[in-house]
Amino acid sequence: MDELYDAFINARRRKLRSFLAISGVAVGIFMFIAVGSISEYFHELSACFRRTFSGKLFLCEKMSFWAGGGLISETKLSLIDAIPAIRTSIPLLIGRIDPQELFTLGMPPTLVGIPPDKAPLYLDRAPLAEGRFLMPSDTEALVAGYDVATRYRLKTGEPFLVRGRKFTVRGILRKTSTLIDRQALVPLSAAQESLGRPHLFTSIIIIPRDNETAEKAAGDLRALIPWALVISPQELQKEIDENMAYWELLTMVLLVLAGIASMLCVSVIMVMAVSERTREIGLKKALGAENSHIIKEHLGEVFLIWAAGWLMGTLLSLTLITVYHHLPQSWSISIFLVTPRLLAISLLWTFTVGIISALVPVRQALAIDPIKALRQ
């Protein structure tokens, strides 16, 4: 306890120097949480893809269907369902809610037409914030994802005009930090009329009878619709893993650079502090202070700097991310996801890098000869 008090007194002696050290740590923590929150978002997004498409095949147009496609004929659906290896299929028609909004950052707000009785399979137990899901009897109903509801200020029971057609908002989903947040689900027939794609689909999610027959079903689908893109569960998993590997490598490089910068900042400032207190440390040793006391005192000072820096950096990052999420344009590229796990990892990262940054100044303090120090 005495060593921690001494560390606090030492930190207060040079307020500007301590503030600069804390600021350096805070910048590193800010970068850690900012980059880490993007990594958490992509982890959650990949987990959503795995849950949604695990054991399923995905058949879609080879063109970019976010712009409003719809080239797969309804006649193909009966042929697909007739394949022995396939248990059921979920046809989708996807188009932009606002056709004049050609350029957006991230995924645009989309209208998703789906058979109401198969919507639960597509949503994969996505939680409702209010209202209800689509029902088989619905014709003009709409269930909005969180970002769509936020952008257009939707409320359950109120009308929402899409492509000249009036829908009634029956449900609003909770935020899932996935693609579902940017989607508004309506009955398939209503979407086909609104998008001008009668009897056409953009993509089809296909559920095989079992995992063993998934690859065979993929081959049958490619032979049936050779101009369409068929993605098997293994191919989707491989693509997700490769993309996550690239992102994790980039995240690791950025965090290592942030750690090195913060560590050098604290180490240089602490080395200067030890040099300034050479006579004081020598006097303490001459009066009988043990090396353990010197170690605890300097480790305590480094700990206080890193703890204050972690708190400042965490509050700064959380504040800026919260402010960003409340900006009108933030819905279009909301890629920050701060989780308790991320905060815990940042605290562990702070402790580890803090210990490393203390090695040089502590070693310098232990090497001081009390006799030579007192002669200076």
Side-chain angles (χ1 to χ4, degrees), residues 217-348:
D220 295 338
L221 289 169
R222 293 186 182 103
L224 181 64
I225 314 177
W227 50 266
L229 178 65
V230 179
I231 304 175
S232 68
Q234 291 78 5
E235 292 170 338
L236 181 65
Q237 183 67 42
K238 181 181 178 182
E239 178 118 6
I240 291 175
D241 292 341
E242 288 178 352
N243 290 333
M244 286 307 303
Y246 290 134
W247 177 252
E248 287 173 356
L249 177 61
L250 177 62
T251 302
M252 186 62 65
V253 170
L254 292 175
L255 296 184
V256 168
L257 291 177
I260 291 175
S262 300
M263 184 172 60
L264 289 176
C265 174
V266 175
S267 294
V268 169
I269 290 177
M270 287 302 300
V271 167
M272 293 173 57
V274 171
S275 298
E276 291 177 1
R277 297 201 294 264
T278 298
R279 292 188 62 189
E280 176 187 334
I281 296 172
L283 179 60
K284 288 181 178 181
K285 286 187 173 183
L287 294 176
E290 297 180 355
N291 285 339
S292 60
H293 178 88
I294 303 298
I295 293 174
K296 291 178 182 179
E297 180 180 340
H298 287 82
L299 281 180
E301 186 172 354
V302 172
F303 170 78
L304 289 176
I305 289 174
W306 278 91
W310 179 84
L311 183 61
M312 180 186 295
T314 300
L315 292 177
L316 177 63
S317 59
L318 293 179
T319 300
L320 292 181
I321 290 174
T322 301
V323 170
Y324 170 78
H325 280 160
H326 284 82
L327 293 176
Q329 299 83 6
S330 66
W331 70 271
S332 63
I333 188 169
S334 179
I335 58 174
F336 299 101
L337 179 62
V338 180
T339 61
R341 183 182 71 165
L342 175 62
L343 297 179
I345 294 175
S346 71
L347 187 59
L348 179 62

Side-chain angles (χ1 to χ4, degrees), residues 127-138:
L128 273 170
E130 55 183 276
R132 61 170 175 82
F133 292 110
L134 295 177
M135 299 179 63
S137 59
D138 288 331

Side-chain angles (χ1 to χ4, degrees), residues 143-157:
V143 174
Y146 179 86
D147 289 343
V148 172
T150 300
R151 184 188 186 192
Y152 296 103
R153 300 180 180 179
L154 303 181
K155 301 292 183 183
T156 54

Side-chain angles (χ1 to χ4, degrees), residues 158-198:
E158 295 182 352
F160 180 39
L161 191 65
V162 181
R163 302 279 189 119
R165 189 186 186 104
K166 185 181 292 186
F167 292 92
T168 301
V169 180
R170 294 303 182 187
I172 296 176
L173 300 173
R174 294 186 185 277
K175 189 172 183 63
T176 63
S177 298
T178 64
L179 297 179
I180 293 175
D181 292 344
R182 314 289 179 93
Q183 298 178 349
L185 274 65
V186 299
L188 179 60
S189 58
Q192 289 172 333
E193 293 178 13
S194 300
L195 299 175
R197 294 291 188 272

Side-chain angles (χ1 to χ4, degrees), residues 68-83:
L71 299 177
I72 304 175
S73 172
E74 197 173 64
T75 59
K76 298 293 185 183
L77 193 61
S78 59
L79 299 177
I80 290 172
D81 289 336
I83 296 176

